[in-house]
Amino acid sequence: LLRVFLGVGRLVLAVLAGYGLVEARPLIVGHSLSISSPAENASIPGGIVTVAGHVARTVALTLDGAPVLPEENGSFSSTLTLPSGGSILTLTARDRFGRSVTKTRTIYVP
């Protein structure tokens, strides 16, 4: 009877450890932010630019401080009209643990 109890105990412990690893994955892996457009130092004739990319394991995304809502698959896009001259676009993604990652793109409107 003691052997059965110890065997079940080990199984329960293994299941709990596995569950803990699955739940801790977002904390261990962290979140990600990638920008597919515009390219760094791009020239944008007309000043209308679409900022697009992908996020993963993110609860909040902002573009120059304004919220951006990603699609369910993590892709996002936002269209801006910019004045002539240089501009720095700042994207910030925050995960559920309060950690954030920021990426920028410098562009030029002739």
Side-chain angles (χ1 to χ4, degrees):
L1 184 60
L2 181 60
R3 286 184 192 168
V4 172
F5 179 74
L6 289 176
V8 171
R10 287 184 185 138
L11 177 63
V12 168
L13 184 60
V15 168
L16 289 175
Y19 178 75
L21 288 174
V22 168
E23 287 298 309
R25 184 177 185 276
L27 178 62
I28 295 166
V29 174
H31 58 296
S32 66
L33 167 63
S34 63
I35 303 171
S36 56
S37 72
E40 181 67 20
N41 298 316
S43 180
I44 310 292
I48 298 174
V49 61
T50 298
V51 180
H54 187 268
V55 292
R57 297 171 300 281
T58 299
V59 296
L61 176 65
T62 60
L63 173 57
D64 292 336
V68 175
L69 297 175
E71 298 292 327
E72 192 171 311
N73 66 3
S75 65
F76 66 86
S77 75
S78 182
T79 303
L80 303 171
T81 303
L82 300 172
S84 296
S87 294
I88 298 174
L89 305 174
T90 304
L91 279 155
T92 302
R94 186 175 46 84
D95 70 4
R96 68 181 180 166
F97 303 105
R99 299 176 300 187
S100 64
V101 62
T102 299
K103 295 201 176 184
T104 61
R105 286 289 189 266
T106 302
I107 60 170
Y108 177 73
V109 178

